[in-house]
Amino acid sequence: PSNEEVYDIVKTRLLALSPQERAGFLEELFADDPDVLAAVRNKFADLLAEPVAEPVTDTANAAAREAAEAAAKKIEDLRAQLADKKAETEAAARKTAEAADEKIVALRAQLAAEQ
């Protein structure tokens, strides 16, 4: 393969790695040939550089805070809905149990009357 084809293969592999893993990968791959290692490092200097974190702005902080507050509100709303649904389900279960009890009492009375 040509140098450009090799560079393309190496670049694809580098992009699949985290910035912290990239230099080690090249060291392992080209450990036997320091000249090639130097050339590859030079070619991919931009990919080997540690990413610079951008400073968090007040706008970003405000947006993150608003998103967190909205998420918290949504969670509270969902918890309230869940509590309401649970109460409804428990009330329906009680009503069904009471109706079943009444039916049992009525059937026992009917059976006693038939005997």
Side-chain angles (χ1 to χ4, degrees):
S2 70
N3 282 349
E4 287 306 312
E5 290 172 326
V6 172
Y7 285 144
D8 287 343
I9 293 167
V10 171
K11 182 177 182 179
T12 300
R13 182 67 177 116
L14 286 176
L15 290 172
L17 298 171
S18 72
Q20 296 79 16
E21 297 172 309
R22 292 175 184 166
F25 168 74
L26 291 180
E27 296 285 335
E28 268 185 50
L29 191 62
F30 299 109
D32 296 339
D33 196 341
D35 293 334
V36 172
L37 178 58
V40 171
R41 276 191 191 144
N42 186 45
K43 174 79 174 177
F44 298 114
D46 59 328
L47 293 178
L48 297 174
E50 287 293 321
V52 177
E54 294 186 24
V56 178
T57 63
D58 289 338
T59 304
N61 281 339
R65 194 176 313 104
E66 286 177 19
E69 289 170 0
K73 173 84 169 89
K74 181 72 174 172
I75 290 169
E76 287 176 25
D77 291 347
L78 290 172
R79 283 184 177 152
Q81 289 175 9
L82 181 61
D84 290 346
K85 193 65 166 172
K86 183 179 176 186
E88 288 175 17
T89 302
E90 288 173 353
R94 267 193 310 278
K95 186 174 182 181
T96 301
E98 289 168 1
D101 287 346
E102 289 173 8
K103 181 80 172 177
I104 290 170
V105 169
L107 288 172
R108 282 186 179 160
Q110 181 182 358
L111 183 60
E114 290 175 0
Q115 288 179 349

